[in-house]
């Protein structure tokens, strides 16, 4: 499982997209301080073949867990 810590949007979601296009991990967890970035990732990740399976919070970080379909 890949864990990616990114800043808020739009930079954070752009980094995630670039990473999944380059590495194509089977499972990814994204940590971001920006709640709005979570909303963007929930919309964008399915477009790249990932299913969002968990959304949560760990301390100050928001988490998005996704698996490749």
């Amino acid at each position: 499982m890949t864990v990616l810590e990114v800043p808020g949007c739009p930079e954070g979601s752009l980094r995630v997209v670039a990473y999944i296009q380059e590495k194509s991990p089977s499972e990814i967890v994204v940590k971001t301080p920006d709640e709005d970035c979570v909303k963007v990732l929930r919309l964008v990740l399915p477009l790249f073949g990932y299913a969002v399976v968990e959304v949560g919070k760990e301390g100050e970080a928001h988490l998005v867990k996704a698996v490749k379909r």
Side-chain angles (χ1 to χ4, degrees), residues 1-34:
M1 172 177 30
T2 301
V3 177
L4 215 68
E5 292 190 37
V6 297
C9 278
E11 186 181 347
S13 58
L14 293 174
R15 282 190 192 179
V16 173
V17 168
Y19 184 85
I20 62 174
Q21 285 183 316
E22 182 181 320
K23 304 286 184 179
S24 192
S26 61
E27 191 173 325
I28 187 167
V29 174
V30 180
K31 292 184 179 183
T32 180
D34 185 1

